[in-house]
Amino acid sequence: MNAWPSISITPFKDLDLPQLKIKDSNNDIIAIDSKATFRMYVCGITPYDATHLGHAATYIAFDLINRYQILAGLDVHFVENITDVDDPLLVRATRDNVSWQDLANQQIELFKSDMSALRVIPPKDFIKVTESLPIIENFIKKVDSNGFLYSLEGDYYFAVSEFLSTLPMTIEEAIKIFAERGGDPERTGKKHKLDPLVWSANVGNDPGWNSSYGYGRPGWHIECTAIACEYLDDGISDPIITIQGGGSDLIFPHHFMSAQIIKAAYGRSFSELFVHAAMISLQGEKMSKSKGNLVFVSKLLEQGVDPMVIRWALLKGHYQNDRNWSEDLLNQAQIEVNQVRQALAQSEVFESHQLIQDIVVDLSNNLDTPSALKRLIDWSIKSKSSGTVNQSGAVSRFIDSTLGLAL
Ligand code: ZN
């Protein structure tokens, strides 16, 4: 599927970009190899509630990584999927009395226009699950041929029990979260409560496809593993990709299960780093569909809010800290964006070489955007009182390329 229009970024010849260091959710901060191909897979949306600020914060965080690695001259391959057939989408379509395809297509278009407005660079491959059925079926066959698939009343499960030594929590906690996030630990006949569904037989009027495993549809975890391997696996790398990314609510079970399914299929590790963006709250409560407190990018844009102000507001907090969204945050972001714009409009500004080098170091240090934005504000204040050099164009191009802020 076509992604949104591409965004070109300006390379900087004399810029010294340190190796990018990113906090892995299971380990500490890891410096990413700057010579190898950089392969990143970010889990995309299920298209029924696009694009709320939690989505925006996540995709902007991985956009910063993408931008940094492109500017550092790495061979970057970034893939993102769209889970365009899934239970919540079907439930929403039934509730709203629309076809699930129409709902998905409408929400995908909205997501694409929101990403474009927020200046998120599109993935090289933007892949819908519904266009990947043969890929997913072939992947299930690999798991099957290695003996990790079993059937239960027409459904098929991945047998995870051999792969639980790296479970990031106790079995009891895992079972509880698994049940909360779409798993079925209590189903009679399963070999292990944590075994995830990889192919479900068709029920009622649900969408389905013919496959070697009957008429039905794939499970969420195996969709992402199959798509990631199809587009990113060179057949020898171990781990297969550099970063698997998404929101922190994907740590378990989604990313854990994806990694174990890949071990079962290939005997190799999935990803060098598992990186997660934290959640956005509204008035102290995590933004979620169940609480009905989602704030949508498209609604803010309709109200006339500048997308660069939304991006600035989200970058004011660190991507791995849970953050609160508020009117005050948005108003403060608008004030700060105006401040920087005024400085950039001056013919003479404060010397910027140090600013640029410092922001690069901030970004290399696990995307320290709060520090980067503070430096920009300080530079704007100094430029107002003692601008002496004609460098505003360079700063403007630099912050657009690195931070995605076209001011
Ligand atoms: Zn995924």
Side-chain angles (χ1 to χ4, degrees):
M1 178 180 45
N2 288 331
W4 52 101
S6 65
I7 294 168
S8 63
I9 60 175
T10 314
F12 295 90
K13 272 186 194 151
D14 300 323
L15 198 59
D16 176 26
L17 279 108
Q19 217 174 343
L20 181 62
K21 297 178 287 298
I22 293 289
K23 169 81 175 73
D24 176 278
S25 295
N26 304 318
N27 289 297
D28 207 348
I29 288 180
I30 294 175
I32 298 174
D33 185 349
S34 55
K35 294 188 181 62
T37 299
F38 179 75
R39 300 181 179 94
M40 179 162 76
Y41 182 89
V42 177
C43 288
I45 58 161
T46 299
Y48 69 101
D49 253 344
T51 310
H52 61 70
L53 288 173
H55 293 139
T58 295
Y59 298 112
I60 286 172
F62 291 98
D63 184 51
L64 294 177
I65 294 177
N66 191 27
R67 284 168 180 272
Y68 192 94
Q69 300 296 58
I70 292 170
L71 288 171
L74 272 71
D75 177 12
V76 176
H77 192 165
F78 166 33
V79 178
E80 184 174 318
N81 74 306
I82 288 277
T83 311
D84 62 335
V85 56
D86 199 8
D87 289 336
L89 169 70
L90 302 177
V91 169
R92 179 63 61 89
T94 303
R95 188 199 78 177
D96 295 350
N97 200 24
V98 291
S99 83
W100 62 274
Q101 294 99 326
D102 286 350
L103 175 62
N105 288 334
Q106 177 233 334
Q107 292 287 304
I108 290 168
E109 289 310 310
L110 193 58
F111 177 71
K112 284 158 71 167
S113 68
D114 289 341
M115 290 295 104
S116 201
L118 292 169
R119 291 187 71 71
V120 173
I121 296 178
K124 183 174 174 196
D125 297 293
F126 187 50
I127 308 295
K128 292 204 278 194
V129 164
T130 55
E131 63 189 11
S132 311
L133 271 298
I135 293 165
I136 298 165
E137 183 183 349
N138 280 336
F139 195 92
I140 295 173
K141 284 180 183 168
K142 287 193 187 75
V143 177
D144 190 7
S145 63
N146 289 351
F148 294 105
L149 197 76
Y150 65 91
S151 66
L152 180 59
E153 297 161 343
D155 297 327
Y156 286 83
Y157 283 87
F158 166 57
V160 76
S161 60
E162 273 189 38
F163 304 93
L164 292 176
S165 62
T166 55
L167 197 64
M169 58 194 76
T170 65
I171 291 274
E172 291 72 26
E173 283 167 334
I175 290 169
K176 183 169 168 284
I177 298 172
F178 185 65
E180 288 165 1
R181 297 185 178 163
D184 55 356
E186 301 307 329
R187 181 171 180 184
T188 308
K190 283 178 69 173
K191 290 184 179 173
H192 193 287
K193 284 181 189 245
L194 289 176
D195 291 343
L197 198 60
V198 295
W199 186 264
S200 69
N202 186 254
V203 182
N205 294 321
D206 275 6
W209 290 263
N210 286 314
S211 79
S212 313
Y213 302 95
Y215 185 70
R217 61 186 166 99
W220 178 31
H221 312 310
I222 207 152
E223 290 166 356
C224 277
T225 56
I227 293 170
C229 290
E230 174 70 16
Y231 292 90
L232 293 167
D233 185 13
D234 62 5
I236 48 170
S237 294
D238 186 5
I240 292 170
I241 64 173
T242 322
I243 286 182
Q244 185 181 24
S248 59
D249 52 346
L250 300 188
I251 293 174
F252 186 86
H254 187 50
H255 287 178
F256 174 82
M257 290 300 178
S258 305
Q260 311 322 313
I261 291 170
I262 297 236
K263 277 183 210 158
Y266 293 115
R268 289 183 281 150
S269 305
F270 183 20
S271 187
E272 189 181 341
L273 288 91
F274 292 88
V275 182
H276 299 96
M279 298 286 117
I280 303 292
S281 302
L282 186 70
Q283 291 160 348
E285 284 212 78
K286 185 195 144 190
M287 242 178 238
S288 71
K289 57 184 177 293
S290 55
K291 294 201 178 87
N293 63 349
L294 298 174
V295 176
F296 294 97
V297 171
S298 54
K299 289 277 182 294
L300 292 173
L301 297 177
E302 273 171 31
Q303 290 161 17
V305 177
D306 178 343
M308 290 300 97
V309 173
I310 300 173
R311 187 160 174 132
W312 182 286
L314 291 169
L315 294 177
K316 274 174 72 68
H318 191 266
Y319 79 107
Q320 284 176 327
N321 291 338
D322 286 339
R323 284 161 282 163
N324 200 42
W325 181 265
S326 66
E327 278 293 311
D328 286 350
L329 174 71
L330 192 60
N331 293 338
Q332 185 58 31
Q334 181 69 67
I335 290 167
E336 291 169 354
V337 163
N338 291 347
Q339 228 172 341
V340 177
R341 278 193 175 133
Q342 277 162 16
L344 292 173
Q346 292 176 204
S347 55
E348 293 191 319
V349 291
F350 192 74
E351 209 289 318
S352 66
H353 289 109
Q354 193 61 48
L355 168 79
I356 287 174
Q357 202 54 55
D358 287 345
I359 289 179
V360 160
V361 171
D362 288 336
L363 289 173
S364 75
N365 183 20
N366 197 25
L367 310 177
D368 185 358
T369 55
S371 173
L373 297 198
K374 275 195 202 106
R375 290 184 202 280
L376 264 174
I377 298 287
D378 290 346
W379 174 84
S380 302
I381 293 166
K382 284 182 195 159
S383 290
K384 198 173 177 184
S385 59
S386 54
T388 55
V389 290
N390 179 14
Q391 291 174 352
S392 62
V395 173
S396 178
R397 284 192 297 279
F398 170 76
I399 61 174
D400 186 18
S401 293
T402 50
L403 293 163
L405 290 166
L407 303 184

